[in-house]
Amino acid sequence: MGTPRVSVIVPVHNCAPTLERTIRSVFEQTLAADLIEIIAVDDGSSDGGEEILDRLAAGRPGFTVVHQAASGGPGRPRNVGIERATGDYLFFLDADDWLGPEALERCCAMADANGTDVVVPKYVGVGRRVHPELFKENVEFTTIFDPVPNLYGSITALKLYRRTLIERYDIRFPEGVLSGEDQIFAVRAYFEAKGVSVLADYDCYYWVSREDGTSALQRGGAPAELYFPEIERLMAFVSERTPPGPVRDRLLSRHFSSEIFSRLGLRYAAFDEEERRATRVAARRLFRRHGNAEIMRGRSPYIRLIEHTVRHGLDDLVDRAAEVQAQGRPKFVFEGDDVFMAYPGLRDERYGIPDEVYAVAKPPAQKWLLTGAEWRDGRLALRGHSVAEALGEAPWSGELVLRRCDGTGEHRLPFAPVDTAADGRTVLGAEIDPAAAADGGPLPAGRYDVLVSAPYRGRDHEGRLTAASEDVTVPGAGGSVTSGDRPVVKPYLTDGKNTLALHVGGLAGVIAGVPRTEPSIGRPGTLRLTAVAESDLADEQIPVTVRALLRHRVTGDVRSIDMAVERPPGLIRACAEIDMTGAGRGKWDVSYEITAGFAKDVLRAPAPDSLDLRTKGTSAFRTVHGNLSITYAGGGAVRLLRRIARRVPA
């Protein structure tokens, strides 16, 4: 084996259930196998993971397994991997995660093309949230000093690094640290790199939150005595490498938000007294050394209060404020146009804390609870009430606001008292008539959020209408696909937040669920798509049309293909051959636009569980969310040039 292009370093400690998937994602890379070196460092596994590694490495000369005693964190095994690596680049892959097939080829190519020392690959969160701001578009060359894109949105070590950079500046991981150990590594690499690239147009790295909740971060991270010294070291490094001003403030602000204030919220309330004390002492030192007014600008009243009380040693008030925050935010205090949050210490002469610490920048949102919903004579009748404890008393009436999710308009109708509940609450009600809710006319098609707006103390308070409990349900769709003056309206509760929303003019009553997709090879060079949906549409006189919409992930270009429709009993079946000739190279996401009478909707095309279709530069694949997408690589000449380019030494 010659010099590999990239050394993939995998620290392993008790990850047996996911380990094989992780390693096989490296085996399945489009970059040639003899250009990839795998170094897996087993850090004292006791769950059989060490045996899995040995089995997978058997007969593979480019796969090295190192067994060592448990070191207390991923830093030591990663450092061992660095010492053994021989590739032009290093890539750190955790044993819970996996790579997209083209990840290494694309990362190396981007670094080669732009002469950059670090490539940030696009992350896909699996059971965890990944901030998308960094991955809006490819960035060929940037530095840590550029505000856009925000490289500091990603300071995990899970990236591609030029090995000469790591060796030249002797960049290594701190050892024996349970969490946060990779940040100083990534930050040092950012500062020493002559340039950084961001690869945003391909799902490179599937970043997993463990289902059993046993990752270090899910368990609450390292204790303060081990955690904060690394954060102090990191912030000191940033301060040493940047002059006072906007750049330093921007970078340090991220650390205050993610590493310090994150420990002084709900987590702090759950700490024992010793952990609270250690957290306050360490945070106080960092506030005094690195904090300033610019870093605190725009923070919430709670964060401003915590910073003030920790900085000035008001330890009892820190504890009281954290406990109030853990129970839900406190009441608001209104004084003319000024609004304050009544956290402990407000106007208490013993502490002398300035009012501006408690000040609210904008009026608080009101909360409204949905207690019932039903169809009555073609109208959607809603019942609910105000939750106004934070405001001190309840507004007695307001307006129901139907606001289009795309921001193109809204419609209002009264939300007024209709009854008094047993507990004395005023019950508010409204009826939505789909045929007359839009200024006397039918509601236009689209998706709507349902909010309530009410005046209080001279201000308009607005909030989403949220289900009062798990027992609150909404009825099925109402309306007709055959009548434009009474559109189909499907009320539903949003995922996660349980807030009321409406889908107007959609396919409720036309199809059941989402059409299944049956892709296959069509004529030479084409993919044949067959969409099949269970149909509730009994009237065969109602016209049904289906179009396949292909949207390019980067450019946003859309290709529209009319599909031939058949309507066997209980089904709608639509077919079309997809010819990508002349299309832009890259990934195209597939959707179906279905129209039935006055009902119309666009639905993402699902992909079958097993999908491997390729024909003359076109291939179909299943996304991480289970949807259908198409990759178009161009004609044969383009593919030939790509194969030649792979064989040319960098």
Side-chain angles (χ1 to χ4, degrees), residues 612-632:
D612 185 16
L613 292 177
R614 303 173 186 273
T615 174
K616 292 189 177 180
T618 304
S619 60
F621 68 96
R622 177 186 170 92
T623 71
V624 67
H625 298 296
N627 296 318
L628 177 67
S629 291
I630 292 173
T631 298
Y632 182 59

Side-chain angles (χ1 to χ4, degrees), residues 368-528:
W368 302 85
L369 296 183
L370 175 71
T371 56
E374 61 179 337
W375 286 104
R376 293 180 185 168
D377 299 325
R379 296 176 173 84
L380 181 62
L382 304 177
R383 295 292 181 269
H385 61 77
S386 167
V387 179
E389 289 85 359
L391 300 179
E393 61 184 72
W396 299 115
S397 63
E399 287 184 304
L400 200 69
V401 183
L402 310 181
R403 180 169 297 151
R404 287 181 65 111
C405 296
D406 61 7
T408 59
E410 66 181 30
H411 306 285
R412 293 175 176 250
L413 56 152
F415 195 49
V418 294
D419 199 358
T420 301
D423 61 2
R425 289 184 183 272
T426 298
V427 179
L428 305 178
E431 289 192 349
I432 302 173
D433 184 352
D439 302 322
L443 277 174
R447 294 182 184 270
Y448 293 80
D449 290 327
V450 181
L451 307 95
V452 180
S453 176
Y456 182 71
R457 292 181 179 266
R459 300 174 184 266
D460 285 332
H461 293 269
E462 187 176 272
R464 297 289 298 272
L465 191 55
T466 306
S469 70
E470 294 181 356
D471 296 331
V472 175
T473 59
V474 297
S480 171
V481 299
T482 62
S483 173
D485 61 357
R486 186 163 293 280
V488 172
V489 175
K490 181 181 180 181
Y492 63 97
L493 297 176
T494 61
D495 291 339
K497 296 183 178 180
N498 262 3
T499 55
L500 183 64
L502 307 178
H503 188 183
V504 179
L507 296 172
V510 177
I511 65 172
V514 178
R516 70 177 186 272
T517 302
E518 299 171 353
S520 58
I521 301 297
R523 292 179 293 104
T526 69
L527 292 174
R528 183 174 180 81

Side-chain angles (χ1 to χ4, degrees), residues 334-352:
F334 294 85
E335 293 186 355
D337 291 335
D338 296 326
V339 185
F340 306 95
M341 294 195 77
Y343 283 107
L346 176 64
R347 304 283 170 77
D348 190 327
E349 294 181 356
R350 293 175 297 172
Y351 301 108

Side-chain angles (χ1 to χ4, degrees), residues 33-323:
D34 61 351
L35 299 180
I36 301 174
E37 176 182 54
I38 305 174
I39 304 172
V41 183
D42 168 38
D43 197 53
S45 293
S46 57
D47 65 345
E50 63 279 18
E51 298 171 359
I52 294 174
L53 287 176
D54 290 338
R55 171 172 57 80
L56 292 172
R60 292 181 178 269
F63 192 161
T64 299
V65 177
V66 179
H67 296 287
Q68 63 182 33
S71 63
R76 175 61 182 161
R78 284 176 176 157
N79 288 339
V80 169
I82 293 173
E83 298 300 330
R84 292 190 173 237
T86 62
D88 298 328
Y89 298 103
L90 307 178
F91 194 105
F92 295 99
L93 172 63
D94 279 354
D96 297 314
D97 309 331
W98 75 90
L99 300 177
E102 301 175 25
L104 296 181
E105 180 181 10
R106 285 173 175 258
C107 286
C108 292
M110 179 164 267
D112 289 343
N114 300 291
T116 45
D117 290 327
V118 181
V119 176
V120 183
K122 182 180 178 181
Y123 303 112
V124 177
V126 181
R128 71 191 307 159
R129 184 169 179 263
V130 174
H131 295 290
E133 290 80 6
L134 183 58
F135 301 108
K136 290 182 178 179
E137 60 182 2
N138 283 353
V139 178
E140 295 182 350
F141 192 98
T142 188
T143 73
I144 192 63
F145 300 101
D146 298 326
V148 179
N150 178 25
L151 290 178
Y152 239 52
S154 172
I155 54 174
T156 173
L158 309 173
K159 300 173 175 62
L160 183 88
Y161 302 87
R162 196 177 295 271
R163 187 165 62 90
T164 54
L165 169 80
I166 303 305
E167 297 298 347
R168 180 183 305 120
Y169 295 100
D170 193 28
I171 303 174
R172 294 295 187 272
F173 293 89
E175 299 183 3
V177 178
L178 186 63
S179 65
E181 86 299 328
D182 56 345
Q183 294 184 358
I184 187 64
F185 183 96
V187 170
R188 283 195 63 197
Y190 277 154
F191 271 93
E192 306 297 0
K194 60 177 176 287
V196 179
S197 298
V198 178
L199 200 162
D201 65 351
Y202 181 74
D203 295 343
C204 292
Y205 194 104
Y206 291 84
W207 199 6
V208 178
S209 177
R210 287 192 185 180
E211 294 180 358
D212 60 4
T214 58
S215 71
L217 192 59
Q218 289 168 296
R219 294 197 306 267
E225 62 179 347
L226 298 177
Y227 176 81
F228 277 104
E230 296 303 325
I231 303 306
E232 291 191 52
R233 176 186 176 193
L234 181 57
M235 296 178 78
F237 176 83
V238 172
S239 294
E240 291 169 2
R241 297 296 296 267
T242 55
V247 172
R248 179 191 287 183
D249 290 344
R250 172 171 57 84
L251 301 182
L252 290 179
S253 181
R254 188 264 186 220
H255 292 302
F256 277 113
S257 296
S258 298
E259 279 75 58
I260 301 175
F261 291 130
S262 66
R263 290 208 164 209
L264 287 162
L266 297 179
R267 293 168 66 187
Y268 179 87
F271 289 158
D272 61 29
E273 181 52 42
E274 178 55 31
E275 184 67 10
R276 287 188 179 191
R277 186 200 65 78
T279 297
R280 292 193 303 268
V281 169
R284 182 176 301 125
R285 186 161 53 244
L286 293 173
F287 287 149
R288 292 175 176 176
R289 288 183 181 178
H290 301 293
N292 60 45
E294 284 302 314
I295 290 174
M296 292 303 299
R297 190 179 304 278
R299 304 279 183 176
S300 70
Y302 176 75
I303 293 299
R304 293 199 301 268
L305 177 61
I306 287 296
E307 192 271 347
H308 182 95
T309 52
V310 169
R311 179 188 284 270
H312 292 89
L314 305 176
D315 293 348
D316 65 317
L317 205 53
V318 177
D319 287 359
R320 288 169 56 199
E323 288 162 4

Side-chain angles (χ1 to χ4, degrees), residues 19-32:
L19 186 54
E20 186 154 348
R21 178 184 62 190
T22 298
I23 299 300
R24 290 201 179 279
S25 77
V26 184
F27 293 165
E28 295 167 0
Q29 291 294 297
T30 55
L31 188 66

